[in-house]
Amino acid sequence: ATVERDEKLKERIAKHPCYSEDAHHHYARMHVAVAPACNIQCNYCNRKYDCANESRPGVVSELLTPEEAAHKAIVIAGKIPQMTVVGIAGPGDPLANPEKTFRTFELIAEKAPDIKLCLSTNGLMLPEYIDRIKQLNIDHVTITLNTTDPEIGAQIYSWVHYKRKRYRGVEGAKILLEKQMEGLQALREADILCKVNSVMIPGVNDQNLIEVNKMIREQGAFLHNIMPLISAPEHGTHFGLTGQRGPSQKELKAVQDNCSGNMKMMRHCRQCRADAVGLLGEDRSQEFTKDKFMEMD
Ligand code: CLF
Ligand code: SF4
């Protein structure tokens, strides 16, 4: 039975360039940027740019309506045969824009049922929308989870907006963590593959990442992606402006190595833009800007 389960799992990740290191040489993903709003404020994010939970800070993606996004996805799937996954990862949080996000997935599933659907979120609204995620057969969900400790969370998140109220400091960080844990559990129960992103912030959460790794492994996450904080002052983020540095390659690798005995670590992440197109590391987004793809069929 374990062999059979392993085979099934292999099949589920075989064509996903982020979930399988092997697949990323052969299969491509695209992001459609349909989700502008966000419900929290991370200190490594400037809202003028893409969601830094799954993106390279300092990049501005072209915002689309669900109809435009679906058209783009179908056009690109026709032109790039290795295209296997459509992800929504911004420019804000997909689940802070539930109607736009789910409408987009619905339209794509109708017209191109073979394309895998992928979603990346800060997790705050994940318990709320787990049923819609199941209904739509979204098989890959990423939660960005940076700490297991609300005191540390208070240094990473300046506020959390939940059910019409804004919470600051430890109080906000607590709510976010609670929802992320509930979300992890709900994904596990629904048998949806879960990847966790953690942004490594030296002196803030670096010592705590091994705990994060342990916790998410116990909660059944499939893959852990520890990404370096990018904090150029010109990006205008809180961390950038207060001189918080990102980790060196060596520091990042040391933390990844420390965790690697426990579960699968992702080491080929390219911190994609919210409208990325192509193989990881090969950005073809400029070939498919709105003025271009609207003319294609
Ligand atoms: Fe996109 Fe993310 Fe899905 Fe991949 S990206 S929503 S899981 S299809 Fe991949 Fe890009 Fe890294 Fe993300 S390399 S930033 S991990
Ligand atoms: Fe920015 Fe994403 Fe954090 Fe929202 S969740 S503040 S868009 S990095």
Side-chain angles (χ1 to χ4, degrees):
T2 350
V3 175
E4 208 176 290
R5 216 187 49 215
D6 285 355
E7 280 307 309
K8 270 228 173 95
L9 194 61
K10 250 192 219 158
E11 229 179 82
R12 282 167 78 190
I13 62 164
K15 293 187 179 173
H16 195 304
C18 304
Y19 282 69
S20 154
E21 174 139 29
D22 238 12
H24 98 274
H25 300 292
H26 310 289
Y27 295 102
R29 56 79 190 93
M30 78 181 104
H31 288 164
V32 284
V34 294
C38 191
N39 44 21
I40 68 176
Q41 178 62 62
C42 305
N43 286 335
Y44 48 73
C45 178
N46 177 342
R47 299 308 183 72
K48 279 198 290 198
Y49 304 117
D50 286 359
C51 171
N53 276 342
E54 178 95 8
S55 305
R56 181 160 294 281
V59 170
V60 184
S61 287
E62 192 174 45
L63 195 65
L64 304 177
T65 66
E67 287 70 24
E68 289 165 346
H71 180 71
K72 178 180 181 181
I74 307 305
V75 163
I76 292 177
K79 294 202 185 296
I80 306 179
Q82 311 96 308
M83 183 61 63
T84 46
V85 181
V86 175
I88 301 183
D93 188 80
L95 298 183
N97 306 261
E99 292 321 316
K100 291 186 175 114
T101 293
F102 292 126
R103 182 74 190 132
T104 304
F105 280 143
E106 224 168 65
L107 289 170
I108 294 171
E110 254 167 45
K111 292 184 190 136
D114 291 339
I115 292 188
K116 286 178 195 300
L117 306 179
C118 192
L119 173 75
S120 178
T121 176
N122 59 41
L124 183 66
M125 297 310 281
L126 192 49
E128 195 87 4
Y129 292 114
I130 188 72
D131 290 336
R132 299 219 30 207
I133 291 171
K134 279 197 268 189
Q135 269 166 19
L136 279 162
N137 271 326
I138 299 169
D139 199 31
H140 301 266
V141 173
T142 296
I143 305 177
T144 298
L145 197 160
N146 295 317
T147 178
T148 57
D149 179 351
E151 301 279 342
I152 296 175
Q155 297 171 56
I156 302 176
Y157 308 106
S158 70
W159 51 257
V160 169
H161 191 266
Y162 185 67
K163 304 228 160 150
R164 293 165 193 274
K165 238 189 113 180
R166 196 177 300 266
Y167 302 87
R168 293 182 184 275
V170 178
E171 204 188 1
K174 247 189 198 154
I175 295 171
L176 180 63
L177 179 61
E178 198 181 289
K179 296 297 154 195
Q180 291 171 329
M181 308 268 288
E182 277 174 38
L184 273 167
Q185 204 180 340
L187 290 175
R188 176 194 225 166
E189 280 162 14
D191 191 30
I192 293 169
L193 287 173
C194 174
K195 161 172 142 298
V196 169
N197 285 353
S198 303
V199 179
M200 178 178 173
I201 311 157
V204 177
N205 70 345
D206 50 338
Q207 303 292 321
N208 179 234
L209 288 175
I210 189 100
E211 273 311 307
V212 171
N213 181 265
K214 215 175 113 202
M215 188 275 281
I216 65 166
R217 175 179 37 131
E218 283 164 9
Q219 297 290 322
F222 174 75
L223 186 64
H224 195 188
N225 175 22
I226 300 181
M227 316 186 293
L229 169 74
I230 300 174
S231 64
E234 63 269 26
H235 296 161
T237 64
H238 174 80
F239 279 145
L241 295 172
T242 54
Q244 171 66 50
R245 68 173 183 94
S248 67
Q249 268 304 318
K250 215 172 132 194
E251 288 170 319
L252 178 68
K253 186 174 178 300
V255 172
Q256 289 171 334
D257 288 347
N258 252 331
C259 295
S260 65
N262 303 328
M263 71 184 289
K264 250 173 101 65
M265 301 299 294
M266 179 176 188
R267 296 182 193 247
H268 63 287
C269 177
R270 304 303 286 260
Q271 295 177 282
C272 313
R273 29 190 307 154
D275 61 0
V277 177
L279 298 171
L280 301 189
E282 166 214 57
D283 182 16
R284 299 179 60 177
S285 57
Q286 295 316 303
E287 288 171 49
F288 300 100
T289 50
K290 191 161 131 186
D291 56 330
K292 292 182 186 143
F293 76 73
M294 288 310 275
E295 305 293 315
M296 302 176 186
D297 50 33

